[in-house]
Amino acid sequence: MSPTPTLADWQAKAAVLSANLETRAFIDDEFVAAESGKTFATINPATGAILANVASCDAADADKAVTMARAAFTRGSWARLAPTERKLVMLRLAGLMERHRDTLALLDTLDMGKPISSAQSDVSGAIGCIRHQAESIDKLYGEVAPTGDDTLALVLREPLGVVAAIVPWNFPLMMTAWKIGPALAAGNSVILKPSEKSPLSALYLASLAREAGLPSGVFQVLPGFGHTVGKALALSMEVNCLAFTGSTGVGKQLLQYAGQSNLKRVYLECGGKSPNIVFADCKDLDSVARHAAEAIFYNQGEVCIAGSRLLVENSVREAFIDRLLAAAESMQPGDPLDPASFMGAIVDRTQYERVLDYIRQGVEEGARLRMGGKAQAGPGLFIGPTVFDDVTDDMVIGREEIFGPVLSVFGFDTEEQAIAMANDSDYGLAAGFWSQDIDRIMRVTRRLQSGQVFVNNWAGGDQTVPFGGVKQSGNGRDKSHHSLEEYSELKSVWMSLSS
């Protein structure tokens, strides 16, 4: 077994990798400059240094990629390939990702500031997703409907056509895998639009997809901005489906674009303001406090299911907060290339200022600042763990998604009150609670308005269960066999048989 890389090892790897970055779009099996020749800078938020100037695609590039994707789908080189053959290609892709796992992790760390340990975990999750979806390809069956002897009725599942996947910057590679895995497994042609804040791992993945044997036009990558290339894909009459993870505001725009074009399917995984409820009968306050801190400060709080609303039963609230603050002290941001760092840098200057503005609002609204609230000095964009207590439902920090390391703590007295507070949100992506009372567990689980409920854990799950929300957190589901259903169409066949 090779030794675990140190900070110096990762720094040396980063120096080599930074000199050999792929920055061009990937269209029809080739890396090409944007039609306009324009580029945009992608910046390392931990240092402020420009990593690379990346092709800035727009409508012309989108049109070209869609044409190639449609042509590939019509040819059937992927869509009509035998399921076992598609599976083998996707398993080869997963194997290549495994072989290049350090490079993929390093690209996400450099590009958006997450700790290298977190990025390595993301890569493992992405590989697991591709493998799971690959193995599903030849294990999902159509249906034979019950009929009389003179009829045969079939329900077939067929690929949609062209899928455009628009993914966020907080988990660049993993979110990419969650979208393209089931879409490719179902037989579609896929166009990926990575965030302009983190495009590098997607472009590297394109080279691996080509090496794995995905046919020309089946997987393409268009770096660029949402208002240019993203909008063009959303309005295209030849795109059959949009798969999106990002803000609720952008999700609503994509629904409008679908209505203005061809009524393409739109699957959304949007924002969250997730409640994490601590009942007094939880088993171990010290352990739960650490889990609660990790639920908000992991990945700098740039997590759609971050446990950003902490509801604590008042009888244990002060004792619990003391333990929470002690746990959070060990989660300070550090060099993202240091394997010991729990948090890294905020993704860019815009998000950094947004988080600091929310902290200022929290203070102005009268919430009690118990920890943090300040930016760290230096060229990097670092904000330490921040904890507000005495937060009320009418405060902005208690209702809006901040997407940073900011925790709002509320108190409650009864189970009924906790449930009402948890559900009093526009969002419903995730919820969790801690209790040893099995009757309470069953009651509360049923009543929480959320696509996911974590009981005595936070963010548990694997590829066997779906991921997605309700209310303004969206309508799509990633992971599991259920995600394959989103990227396929049902066809009913009714045959009259000769007597």
Side-chain angles (χ1 to χ4, degrees):
M1 179 180 290
S2 58
T4 302
T6 64
L7 170 60
D9 294 330
W10 285 115
Q11 288 172 332
K13 290 174 183 281
V16 174
L17 182 60
S18 296
N20 298 278
L21 295 173
E22 180 56 72
T23 61
R24 297 168 294 174
F26 185 70
I27 301 176
D28 198 27
D29 227 28
E30 299 292 338
F31 285 102
V32 295
E35 288 285 324
S36 66
K38 293 180 180 179
T39 61
F40 64 89
T42 184
I43 298 171
N44 183 341
T47 65
I50 295 177
L51 289 167
N53 291 299
V54 179
S56 185
C57 296
D58 56 25
D61 304 284
D63 289 345
K64 181 178 179 181
V66 170
T67 299
M68 296 299 106
R70 177 60 61 190
F73 185 74
T74 301
R75 284 196 306 272
S77 54
W78 183 252
R80 294 197 295 276
L81 192 65
T84 52
E85 293 299 315
R86 288 208 308 273
K87 179 176 79 169
L88 290 175
V89 173
M90 290 188 64
L91 288 175
R92 280 200 297 271
L93 173 58
L96 288 167
M97 293 169 67
E98 184 78 55
R99 195 183 311 165
H100 294 260
R101 61 182 303 127
D102 282 357
T103 297
L104 291 166
L106 190 53
L107 286 169
D108 279 355
T109 289
L110 294 173
D111 217 2
M112 61 75 56
K114 70 167 55 210
I116 189 65
S117 57
S118 299
Q120 288 177 298
S121 177
D122 292 355
V123 174
S124 295
I127 294 168
C129 176
I130 297 298
R131 283 185 173 144
H132 181 89
Q133 297 294 348
E135 290 291 356
S136 298
I137 293 174
D138 60 356
K139 298 174 181 66
L140 294 179
Y141 293 79
E143 303 170 20
V144 178
T147 63
D149 291 344
D150 61 346
T151 303
L152 175 63
L154 306 176
V155 180
L156 307 180
R157 191 170 287 279
E158 299 182 339
L160 296 173
V162 178
V163 173
I166 301 175
V167 298
W169 47 261
N170 58 334
F171 292 89
L173 185 70
M174 192 164 74
M175 293 297 99
T176 290
W178 284 13
K179 303 300 185 191
I180 73 168
L184 288 172
N188 298 285
S189 297
V190 180
I191 302 171
L192 174 67
K193 208 295 282 184
S195 170
E196 67 277 7
K197 300 178 184 183
S198 57
L200 297 179
S201 62
L203 293 171
Y204 196 87
L205 182 65
S207 67
L208 301 182
R210 180 169 62 183
E211 185 178 348
L214 279 167
S216 174
V218 170
F219 179 61
Q220 303 175 90
V221 181
L222 301 182
F225 294 89
H227 65 274
T228 54
V229 66
K231 182 178 180 179
L233 290 171
L235 287 170
S236 172
M237 298 295 289
E238 289 296 322
V239 170
N240 301 100
C241 174
L242 281 177
F244 171 76
T245 294
S247 72
T248 297
V250 174
K252 291 179 179 180
Q253 282 185 313
L254 295 178
L255 288 171
Q256 292 177 353
Y257 293 152
Q260 293 168 17
S261 53
N262 60 344
L263 286 178
K264 58 178 64 65
R265 295 186 183 190
V266 181
Y267 293 117
L268 306 174
E269 191 262 277
C270 298
K273 191 71 173 177
S274 301
N276 192 5
I277 308 169
V278 179
F279 289 102
D281 68 355
C282 68
K283 188 174 184 179
D284 182 342
L285 284 183
D286 290 306
S287 176
V288 175
R290 180 157 192 88
H291 281 294
E294 292 173 347
I296 177 61
F297 301 129
Y298 183 78
N299 205 50
Q300 309 78 246
E302 296 168 332
V303 183
C304 55
I305 60 167
S308 54
R309 288 192 294 149
L310 181 62
L311 283 57
V312 185
E313 192 164 350
N314 282 323
S315 62
V316 297
R317 182 168 155 199
E318 281 303 321
F320 186 83
I321 292 176
D322 288 343
R323 289 165 168 80
L324 173 79
L325 297 177
E329 279 292 346
S330 66
M331 300 177 184
Q332 300 295 330
D335 187 335
L337 292 175
D338 187 345
S341 294
F342 184 85
M343 291 204 302
I346 302 299
V347 67
D348 67 358
R349 176 68 59 176
T350 299
Q351 184 64 17
Y352 174 80
E353 295 294 345
R354 183 175 185 267
V355 173
L356 291 176
D357 186 57
Y358 272 112
I359 292 172
R360 285 190 289 269
Q361 287 186 71
V363 173
E364 291 169 0
E365 289 181 320
R368 182 184 175 195
L369 183 61
R370 297 291 298 269
M371 182 181 191
K374 296 180 180 179
Q376 292 189 355
L381 305 176
F382 296 95
I383 300 174
T386 299
V387 179
F388 283 100
D389 193 10
D390 297 330
V391 179
T392 58
D393 291 339
D394 59 342
M395 293 181 181
V396 170
I397 60 167
R399 300 200 67 82
E400 295 185 9
E401 184 178 39
I402 298 174
F403 228 63
V406 182
L407 178 64
S408 296
V409 182
F410 303 75
F412 69 89
D413 292 309
T414 67
E415 178 184 306
E416 195 67 28
Q417 184 184 13
I419 293 170
M421 292 170 66
N423 289 338
D424 184 20
S425 174
D426 292 335
Y427 301 108
L429 186 57
F433 65 97
W434 305 79
S435 173
Q436 294 302 302
D437 183 334
I438 187 62
D439 292 330
R440 167 176 283 161
I441 287 172
M442 297 307 297
R443 287 194 305 268
V444 176
T445 296
R446 292 287 188 179
R447 294 186 60 192
L448 288 173
Q449 298 168 1
S450 176
Q452 303 161 93
V453 176
F454 308 121
V455 182
N456 294 326
N457 72 88
W458 189 266
D462 59 19
Q463 288 297 321
T464 63
V465 294
F467 181 104
V470 298
K471 299 195 281 190
Q472 293 192 46
S473 289
N475 58 10
R477 291 295 183 271
D478 294 315
K479 304 195 307 176
S480 81
H481 292 333
H482 295 285
S483 62
L484 269 169
E485 298 168 1
E486 298 187 350
Y487 300 105
S488 56
E489 192 74 80
L490 292 179
K491 176 184 286 185
S492 297
V493 181
W494 191 271
M495 303 181 193
S496 295
L497 305 178
S498 56
S499 54

